[in-house]
Amino acid sequence: MKKFSILLFLALGLLVMSAQLSAQNSYALCVGLSKCGTPGVDDISHPQYDAADLKKVLANQGYKVGAITNKHATRSNILDRVSRIVKAAKSPDDKILLYIATHGDDGVFLTYGGEVIKYSELIDILSQSKTRHIYCFIMACHSGSALSSMPTDADWATNANKWGMTFVVSCRPNEYSFSSG
């Protein structure tokens, strides 16, 4: 049932995004961290496979897509790849899709080796894009805190509309996101 829910979640997202027929170029980055490389942090069974599967689906739909998993999903690699995608998306009609599946905490998600990326950092990088079609799917505990990491709700509402960002998160800021395996 859990696997079906995840596939449904992704299929609905792809359906929404495919409605943007005017996109000139579509870029995606799939991050799946199953093995965290951090003592005391449990591994998660599916993220690396989900990222690889989604990469195939998106490539078949014409996305220029990359995937970063496990030991390659370091803070610097993720931020570098997101920055490169933002620079590559040169038209307001281009699309950017980020899929991130890992451990999370309030306002952050975990990268390989125990470093974190603040959602506000990710939003700051994405806000520099010229495109107005940015979709972020985050599967992590406390992923709802991505939305509350902005200074105020009013700023988020104003800027998200201006930037064209859509966030789909797996849980509320105070909840855990579970993976079965």
Side-chain angles (χ1 to χ4, degrees):
M1 182 66 181
K2 197 67 150 172
K3 189 76 165 173
F4 174 76
S5 297
I6 291 171
L7 292 175
L8 179 62
F9 174 84
L10 292 173
L12 288 173
L14 290 173
L15 180 63
V16 168
M17 289 175 293
S18 66
Q20 301 286 343
L21 298 176
S22 64
Q24 294 180 4
N25 293 295
S26 299
Y27 303 92
L29 178 62
C30 303
V31 178
L33 190 60
S34 295
K35 301 187 182 308
C36 301
T38 306
V41 177
D42 293 336
D43 290 344
I44 312 170
S45 57
H46 294 294
Q48 71 184 21
Y49 305 112
D50 293 342
D53 290 345
L54 183 58
K55 178 184 176 187
K56 290 176 193 172
V57 169
L58 293 172
N60 287 336
Q61 291 196 13
Y63 277 78
K64 296 171 181 131
V65 60
I68 305 175
T69 60
N70 296 332
K71 68 181 180 180
H72 303 289
T74 62
R75 175 183 164 77
S76 61
N77 281 349
I78 294 168
L79 293 175
D80 177 61
R81 294 287 289 274
V82 171
S83 294
R84 287 193 287 168
I85 288 173
V86 164
K87 288 176 185 166
K90 296 180 183 185
S91 165
D93 293 326
D94 288 347
K95 285 189 286 189
I96 295 175
L97 181 144
L98 294 180
Y99 172 81
I100 300 168
T102 182
H103 285 286
D105 206 343
D106 188 29
V108 301
F109 64 90
L110 184 68
T111 67
Y112 187 82
E115 290 187 288
V116 298
I117 294 176
K118 293 179 182 178
Y119 291 119
S120 58
E121 287 179 88
L122 187 63
I123 291 166
D124 286 346
I125 293 169
L126 293 170
S127 70
Q128 297 170 26
S129 177
K130 293 178 182 172
T131 184
R132 297 299 163 246
H133 305 285
I134 301 171
Y135 305 92
C136 300
F137 294 84
I138 303 173
M139 306 281 290
C141 291
H142 310 286
S143 56
S145 66
L147 305 179
S148 60
S149 66
M150 297 301 289
T152 68
D153 289 339
D155 288 343
W156 170 251
T158 301
N159 291 328
N161 213 11
K162 179 180 81 175
W163 298 327
M165 287 187 209
T166 301
F167 277 76
V168 179
V169 297
S170 60
C171 61
R172 294 181 181 138
N174 61 341
E175 293 179 336
Y176 296 104
S177 182
F178 291 98
S179 175
S180 63

